[in-house]
């Protein structure tokens, strides 16, 4: 059975709850279960002036039976009352409780996770070490390697390194990391995106991909040997390519994904192309997880001005991945 979509709206004071309510009000929320405080959703709906119906559930099967005109809500109580736009460290544990409950269902194969934006700062202010959804869910699932990939129409960009200071990036580019990340990316393109023989463009680290060693030797000494090893498996890997020229139709039309070496090498291009219509995907987990491509936008919470486009793409992508994965495993 294809897993149901599980939505965690994220920071309760941010726009996550608004986006869920807006899509439901517009009749664009696919069959899903929302892990949240029902009172929070009711109060935010009143603030937004949208008429919605909630049905509380205690298991995924119940959620599957809910009428399309109602939102299935798995109740998770807030610790303290929440006001739109006002962060409160008292609710940091609530945010993680929502994630924990959804992840437990995902690990059982019952749901695919779609996460709203969290505020890392307020979670850390509450004394809880938290570096992001990706790392949190990786630890929860107990897997060695996950890969962050953002996608929008016509472009997928995966990252070799994620939230690292730029000065630490060169040392983090090792043959082992290159091979492990590409293995995760390759498998995901096959099972979750229907690419039978994935074609991956790999960017260099240095300007002009090192220009034959004159602008750095990482491409020659580290990257090329690792890529050659993977090519022996019959994998289609182009690179290392200069990052300033690989994002052209000439290359992209022949590729299923780009692997960038660091966060701000690949993501500015993707976000320029598709901000608000992009999705953040965690590859390498034993379950599907997609997320919005934006933050909590506290100033927009409760105003009705937030754009639900990215959440819509995240939901659609999770559903498509679940469909591909079920066919791949079959």
């Amino acid at each position: 059975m294809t897993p149901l979509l599980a939505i965690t709206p994220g920071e309760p004071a941010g726009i996550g709850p608004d986006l869920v309510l807006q899509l439901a009000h517009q009749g664009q929320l696919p069959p899903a279960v929302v892990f949240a405080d029902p009172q929070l959703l009711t109060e935010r709906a009143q603030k937004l002036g949208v008429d919605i119906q909630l049905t509380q559930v205690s298991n995924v099967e119940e959620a599957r039976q809910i009428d399309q005109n109602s939102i299935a809500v798995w109740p998770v109580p807030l610790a303290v009352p929440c006001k739109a736009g006002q962060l409160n460290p008292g609710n940091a544990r609530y945010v993680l409780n929502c994630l924990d409950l959804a992840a437990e269902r995902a690990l059982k194969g019952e749901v695919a996770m779609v996460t709203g934006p969290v505020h890392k700062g307020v979670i850390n202010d509450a004394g809880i070490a938290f570096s992001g959804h990706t790392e949190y869910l990786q630890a929860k699932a107990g897997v060695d390697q996950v890969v962050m990939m953002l996608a929008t129409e016509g472009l997928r960009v995966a990252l070799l390194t994620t939230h690292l200071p730029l000065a630490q990036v060169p040392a983090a580019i090792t043959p082992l990391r290159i091979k492990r990340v590409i293995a995760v990316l390759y498998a995901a393109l096959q099972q979750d995106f229907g690419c039978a023989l994935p074609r991956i463009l790999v960017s260099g680290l240095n300007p002009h991909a090192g220009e034959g060693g004159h602008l750095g030797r990482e491409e020659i000494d580290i990257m090329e040997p690792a890529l050659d090893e993977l090519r022996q498996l019959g994998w289609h890997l182009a690179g290392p390519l200069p990052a300033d020229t690989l994002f052209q139709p000439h290359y992209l039309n022949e590729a299923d994904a780009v692997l960038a070496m660091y966060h701000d090498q690949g993501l500015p291009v993707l976000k320029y192309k598709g901000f608000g219509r992009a999705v953040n995907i965690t590859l390498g987990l034993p379950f599907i997880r997609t997320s919005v491509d934006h933050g909590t936008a506290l100033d927009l919470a409760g105003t009705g001005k937030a754009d639900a486009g990215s959440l819509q793409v995240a939901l659609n992508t999770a559903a498509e991945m679940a469909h591909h994965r079920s066919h791949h495993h079959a």
Side-chain angles (χ1 to χ4, degrees), residues 98 191 221 296:
C98 294
Q191 74 166 359
D221 296 340
T296 52

Side-chain angles (χ1 to χ4, degrees), residues 59-289:
N59 62 62
V60 171
E61 267 319 300
E62 275 181 53
R64 284 186 187 276
Q65 311 306 321
I66 296 304
D67 184 88
Q68 272 291 81
N69 296 320
S70 184
I71 303 177
V73 180
W74 191 300
V76 186
L78 281 167
V80 293
C82 173
K83 195 165 181 184
Q86 294 185 13
L87 294 172
N88 189 329
N91 279 323
R93 179 50 62 187
Y94 159 80
V95 173
L96 300 185
N97 286 345
C98 294
L99 280 178
D100 290 345
L101 285 165
E104 284 165 19
R105 307 268 65 84
L107 284 165
K108 292 184 181 213
E110 297 175 357
V111 298
M113 284 184 70
V114 180
T115 59
V118 296
H119 194 288
K120 298 175 196 172
V122 78
I123 297 174
N124 285 293
D125 288 344
I128 303 166
F130 181 83
S131 57
H133 274 118
T134 304
E135 296 82 1
Y136 189 80
L137 294 173
Q138 177 182 4
K140 199 96 187 140
V143 293
D144 290 333
Q145 182 70 58
V146 293
V147 176
M148 180 189 287
M149 182 172 84
L150 269 77
T152 192
E153 190 172 343
L155 181 62
R156 301 184 187 106
V157 178
L159 301 177
L160 189 79
T161 63
T162 52
H163 298 125
L164 272 186
L166 195 53
Q168 294 175 22
V169 168
I173 298 175
T174 63
L176 179 61
R177 185 187 286 247
I178 291 167
K179 289 184 280 188
R180 283 172 60 173
V181 166
I182 291 177
V184 169
L185 175 58
Y186 197 89
L189 289 170
Q190 286 185 316
Q191 74 166 359
D192 295 334
F193 296 94
C195 306
L197 288 170
R199 299 160 301 174
I200 300 169
L201 304 179
V202 182
S203 73
L205 170 67
N206 297 295
H208 304 173
E211 201 150 292
H214 296 290
L215 292 173
R217 292 197 55 87
E218 285 86 357
E219 289 79 7
I220 294 170
D221 296 340
I222 296 165
M223 299 178 69
E224 286 177 3
L227 295 178
D228 282 342
E229 203 174 311
L230 295 176
R231 288 186 188 109
Q232 302 303 312
L233 303 173
W235 293 6
H236 296 271
L237 306 169
L241 296 166
D244 66 340
T245 53
L246 77 80
F247 290 99
Q248 298 180 52
H250 168 70
Y251 289 113
L252 297 176
N253 289 345
E254 301 297 319
D256 298 300
V258 172
L259 178 63
M261 293 299 101
Y262 56 93
H263 189 281
D264 282 14
Q265 183 184 56
L267 296 194
V269 180
L270 185 128
K271 292 196 176 186
Y272 177 75
K273 178 175 170 61
F275 192 73
R277 301 180 311 283
V279 56
N280 184 349
I281 308 163
T282 305
L283 309 178
L285 293 170
F287 53 84
I288 291 162
R289 181 260 168 164

Side-chain angles (χ1 to χ4, degrees), residues 34-42 54 73-79 94 98:
V34 182
F35 288 78
D37 188 313
Q39 187 63 28
L40 166 72
L41 294 177
T42 300
L54 305 178
V73 180
W74 191 300
V76 186
L78 281 167
Y94 159 80
C98 294

